[in-house]
Amino acid sequence: METIKFKTNIKCGSCIAAVTPFLTSENGIEKWAVDLQSPDRILSVETDKSAEEVSEVVKQAGYLATEIA
């Protein structure tokens, strides 16, 4: 399990509520959080999935997630 960080366009609590069912139901995602205080809206995901797989789950929810190297 590793923690991957993403820059997102998740901007508010309603956005988090929209993404929650996608991330919480996804096998392989242990826990996650979005830092709304950060200007880059950093999403941290503890997972055994690849960054591309996590990004795709966020995309299915209607948001963008770009891995931070």
Side-chain angles (χ1 to χ4, degrees):
M1 203 71 46
E2 67 174 316
T3 300
I4 308 173
K5 294 187 182 281
F6 300 87
K7 179 178 177 178
T8 72
N9 63 343
I10 297 171
K11 295 182 178 4
C12 63
S14 294
C15 299
I16 290 174
V19 171
T20 296
F22 290 88
L23 290 172
T24 55
S25 68
E26 189 68 26
N27 288 330
I29 294 179
E30 189 65 31
K31 57 185 173 177
W32 62 275
V34 179
D35 180 359
L36 294 179
Q37 302 304 313
S38 165
D40 290 333
R41 309 296 196 236
I42 303 300
L43 166 66
S44 301
V45 181
E46 192 174 307
T47 184
D48 56 12
K49 293 188 167 295
S50 71
E52 293 78 20
E53 289 172 311
V54 175
S55 184
E56 186 58 36
V57 172
V58 174
K59 184 177 177 184
Q60 288 172 5
Y63 296 91
L64 300 175
T66 307
E67 184 182 14
I68 300 170

